């Protein structure tokens, strides 16, 4: 590889990682649009959660077939890309398999990479069949059409191409190594348990042509990795990166335990305080923005909820266990997360277009993306939260938006309004006088 190739490689590398960095900064900015919430408690337990769930895939294997296949793809893709370090060094300095000095350990590494690459190919082909031929119910749901459906297939195409290029690159390299004395700088290095069966396709071709093919596979492999890296920003595959912080910052409270609104808690404490002066008034801050009850748009959610939205991999496990969805109601927890992310991306584009300032666009997450009918269909059973393989909580978003409907718009369904009126008037959800509440004892 000449100096011009080294320079071209460096430019492509800088552009690839530079564009990725810019996009990651946009994601971080968008997540920070959410309200602050403290998730710094119990760091050791949070680290354990992250290790078990994000790294160890403990919740994935609840569905064994998909879980095992996902682990193969996950481990294979991560470990194989360790070779990216060697490719970068070879590309920048014009070396060939710079880590080959590791000897037997290097042979084991390359051999392991090849076996994993083959297993990844098999797993990805099975995933493709499950989505497009077998058509599992959660992959043909009404909320997974258009771009989300195409995006899932594009990712599978990427993985098939990248793994194939990796094996073809190694096969061409092996062919050149096997020429007596080696060809050019292709000295003996590595072990190739899979590529040895592919290498014979180059028999009969001239050494220079095989070298050109090897270089072409090499360039396409590294450029493909950089393209895939930057495609993550536009894809559900962001969970590759965000699953780790998402599981670390997940809510550690027992399922079903909800946070109280601080503003409401203060008012209740004041009302219950016998020493409080009922006629005392707090100083009025004319510049203060009145606190909002619940959430109608993404800026009203907290930053962990927005991180949840970006982390969602659209696997549909949440929707598949949702009792409301199973009875034909419009609620789909997956759609809640997808809509939240879509609205957040829209808000981010608005900020980009207006030089860092959000200009109201007469749209909100509530109504324009998520309807009240979806929100009130939820039974708050937490099945979606329990099922999610990366600890996403669609329920927390649903409850915050319900709070807005009830406390800001008084838009609760009639049965709920009747129940709250009964509690206010009778001290019980039922419509009868408080004096009659214990009559059941005499029956």
């Amino acid at each position: 590889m000449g100096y011009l190739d080294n320079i071209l490689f460096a430019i492509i590398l800088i552009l690839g990682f530079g564009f990725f960095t810019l996009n990651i900064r946009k994601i971080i900015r968008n997540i920070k649009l959410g309200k602050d919430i403290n998730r710094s408690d119990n760091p050791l337990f949070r680290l354990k959660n992250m290790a078990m769930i994000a790294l160890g895939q403990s919740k994935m294997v609840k569905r064994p077939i998909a879980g095992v296949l996902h682990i193969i793809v996950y481990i294979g893709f991560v470990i194989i890309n360790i070779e990216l370090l060697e490719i970068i060094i070879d590309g920048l300095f014009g070396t060939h398999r710079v880590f080959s000095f590791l000897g037997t350990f290097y042979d084991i590494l390359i051999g392991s990479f090849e076996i994993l690459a083959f297993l990844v190919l098999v797993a990805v082909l099975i995933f493709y069949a499950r989505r497009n031929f077998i058509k599992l119910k959660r992959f043909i749901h009404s909320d997974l059409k258009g771009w989300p459906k195409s995006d899932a297939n594009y990712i599978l195409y990427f993985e098939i191409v990248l793994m194939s290029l990796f094996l073809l690159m190694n096969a061409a390299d092996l062919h050149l190594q096997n020429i007596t004395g080696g060809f050019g700088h292709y000295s003996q290095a590595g072990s190739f348990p899979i590529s040895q069966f592919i290498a014979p396709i180059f028999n009969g071709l001239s050494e220079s042509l095989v070298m050109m093919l090897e270089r072409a596979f090499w360039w396409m492999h590294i450029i493909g990795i950089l393209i895939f890296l930057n495609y993550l920003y536009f894809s559900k595959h962001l969970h590759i990166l965000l699953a780790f912080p998402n599981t670390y910052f997940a809510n550690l409270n027992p399922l079903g335990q909800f946070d109280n609104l601080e503003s409401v808690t203060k008012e209740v404490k004041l009302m219950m305080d016998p020493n409080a002066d009922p006629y005392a008034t707090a100083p009025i801050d004319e510049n203060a923005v009145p606190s909002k009850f619940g959430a109608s748009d993404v800026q009203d959610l907290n930053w962990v909820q927005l991180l949840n939205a970006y982390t969602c991999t659209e696997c549909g496990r949440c929707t598949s266990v949702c009792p409301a969805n199973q009875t034909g109601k419009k609620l789909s927890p997956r759609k809640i997360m997808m809509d939240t992310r879509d609205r957040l991306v829209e808000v981010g584009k608005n900020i980009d277009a207006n030089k860092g300032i959000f200009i109201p666009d007469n749209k909100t997450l509530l109504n324009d993306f998520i309807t009240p009918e979806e929100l009130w269909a939820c039974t708050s059973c937490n099945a979606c939260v329990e099922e999610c393989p990366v600890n996403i909580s669609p329920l927390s978003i649903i409850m915050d938006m319900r709070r807005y409907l009830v406390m800001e718009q008084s838009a609760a369904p009639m049965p709920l309004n009747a129940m709250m009126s009964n509690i206010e008037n009778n001290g019980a959800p039922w419509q009868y006088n408080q004096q009659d509440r214990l009559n059941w004892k005499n029956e």
Side-chain angles (χ1 to χ4, degrees):
M1 183 181 285
Y3 290 118
L4 289 177
D5 289 340
N6 300 149
I7 294 171
L8 176 62
F9 180 84
I11 292 172
I12 291 174
L13 203 64
I14 291 170
L15 289 174
F17 281 107
F19 189 60
F20 174 73
T21 302
L22 288 175
N23 284 332
I24 289 298
R25 290 179 65 182
K26 285 184 181 180
I27 290 173
I28 294 172
R29 179 207 62 193
N30 290 352
I31 290 172
K32 286 183 176 180
L33 294 175
K35 292 182 176 180
D36 191 30
I37 185 172
N38 186 0
R39 289 288 170 84
S40 60
D41 60 306
N42 210 337
L44 290 179
F45 189 77
R46 292 185 178 279
L47 284 171
K48 179 184 175 183
N49 255 2
M50 184 175 68
M52 292 292 294
I53 299 170
L55 186 63
Q57 308 278 293
S58 60
K59 295 183 76 173
M60 280 296 300
V61 294
K62 288 183 177 180
R63 302 192 182 191
I65 296 176
V68 171
L69 291 173
H70 189 274
I71 288 173
I72 289 172
V73 174
Y74 169 73
I75 294 177
F77 213 75
V78 170
I79 293 179
I80 290 168
N81 281 326
I82 293 175
E83 195 193 20
L84 186 62
L85 178 60
E86 182 180 56
I87 290 176
I88 290 174
I89 296 173
D90 285 346
L92 291 173
F93 299 101
T95 53
H96 172 254
R97 298 192 176 273
V98 69
F99 293 148
S100 59
F101 68 89
L102 296 172
T104 303
F105 180 66
Y106 184 76
D107 293 344
I108 294 172
L109 275 181
I110 299 300
S112 301
F113 293 164
E114 289 224 331
I115 293 171
L116 282 170
F118 177 73
L119 291 175
V120 168
L121 269 175
V122 172
V124 168
L125 290 171
I126 295 173
F127 277 139
Y128 186 84
R130 282 160 56 88
R131 282 184 175 272
N132 298 281
F133 302 134
I134 301 175
K135 295 184 178 180
L136 297 182
K137 185 177 179 181
R138 60 192 174 102
F139 296 139
I140 58 172
H141 195 273
S142 59
D143 61 16
L144 202 63
K145 293 181 178 179
W147 169 250
K149 180 177 176 64
S150 300
D151 177 37
N153 283 327
Y154 292 156
I155 291 166
L156 297 177
Y157 298 149
F158 259 118
E159 292 174 341
I160 290 171
V161 170
L162 289 177
M163 294 302 101
S164 298
L165 286 171
F166 172 74
L167 293 173
L168 285 169
M169 175 186 74
N170 281 355
D173 196 314
L174 176 60
H175 177 86
L176 295 171
Q177 289 183 30
N178 287 339
I179 296 173
T180 304
F183 180 80
H185 62 267
Y186 293 91
S187 56
Q188 293 286 335
S191 175
F192 306 94
I194 305 299
S195 294
Q196 64 179 333
F197 298 107
I198 304 173
I201 67 173
F202 301 109
N203 292 342
L205 301 180
S206 66
E207 287 83 354
S208 57
L209 177 57
V210 177
M211 181 178 178
M212 288 176 60
L213 289 171
E214 188 275 336
R215 287 292 84 192
F217 296 143
W218 187 93
W219 277 100
M220 286 191 290
H221 181 64
I222 184 63
I223 292 174
I225 288 174
L226 293 174
I227 292 173
F228 182 78
L229 181 69
N230 284 284
Y231 179 71
L232 294 181
Y233 174 72
F234 307 95
S235 165
K236 72 186 185 72
H237 234 48
L238 262 175
H239 75 280
I240 291 176
L241 305 175
L242 298 184
F244 293 91
N246 195 77
T247 50
Y248 181 85
F249 292 115
N251 189 1
L252 300 183
N253 291 333
L255 295 183
Q257 179 179 330
F258 297 103
D259 295 329
N260 293 320
L261 292 176
E262 185 178 354
S263 53
V264 175
T265 301
K266 286 182 179 179
E267 291 292 331
V268 172
K269 286 182 176 179
L270 182 63
M271 293 170 61
M272 301 295 288
D273 185 358
N275 299 317
D277 183 356
Y279 301 103
T281 56
I284 298 175
D285 183 357
E286 295 181 355
N287 297 319
V289 178
S291 58
K292 189 175 186 178
F293 299 125
S296 64
D297 211 346
V298 289
Q299 298 96 325
D300 304 323
L301 299 171
N302 64 59
W303 65 266
V304 174
Q305 291 169 318
L306 301 185
L307 174 62
N308 280 184
Y310 268 123
T311 307
C312 178
T313 185
E314 301 173 12
C315 66
R317 293 188 178 202
C318 53
T319 296
S320 71
V321 299
C322 174
N325 187 270
Q326 289 173 2
T327 57
K329 294 182 174 63
K330 286 188 176 180
L331 173 64
S332 167
R334 172 170 60 187
K335 180 180 178 294
I336 297 294
M337 302 314 303
M338 292 166 64
D339 286 343
T340 303
R341 182 185 60 214
D342 290 346
R343 174 56 179 165
L344 184 55
V345 169
E346 186 176 72
V347 168
K349 289 179 179 178
N350 182 308
I351 293 172
D352 291 336
N354 294 289
K355 299 179 180 179
I357 300 174
F358 176 72
I359 303 297
D361 56 1
N362 298 319
K363 294 173 70 176
T364 58
L365 179 62
L366 179 63
N367 296 318
D368 290 300
F369 289 80
I370 300 172
T371 64
E373 181 181 356
E374 294 172 77
L375 298 175
W376 291 116
C378 178
T379 66
S380 65
C381 68
N382 273 292
C384 57
V385 184
E386 175 65 29
E387 188 69 15
C388 179
V390 287
N391 280 18
I392 290 170
S393 177
L395 180 59
S396 68
I397 294 175
I398 291 171
M399 296 306 292
D400 280 349
M401 296 181 77
R402 277 184 174 180
R403 277 174 169 168
Y404 177 83
L405 287 170
V406 173
M407 303 182 74
E408 291 279 352
Q409 296 190 332
S410 300
M414 286 299 296
L416 186 58
N417 280 331
M419 182 195 72
M420 289 189 289
S421 295
N422 288 333
I423 291 174
E424 182 179 1
N425 297 324
N426 306 323
W430 305 280
Q431 193 172 5
Y432 52 72
N433 193 289
Q434 293 188 45
Q435 295 176 350
D436 299 328
R437 289 176 64 180
L438 297 178
N439 287 349
W440 62 272
K441 292 193 305 180
N442 301 321
E443 294 180 0

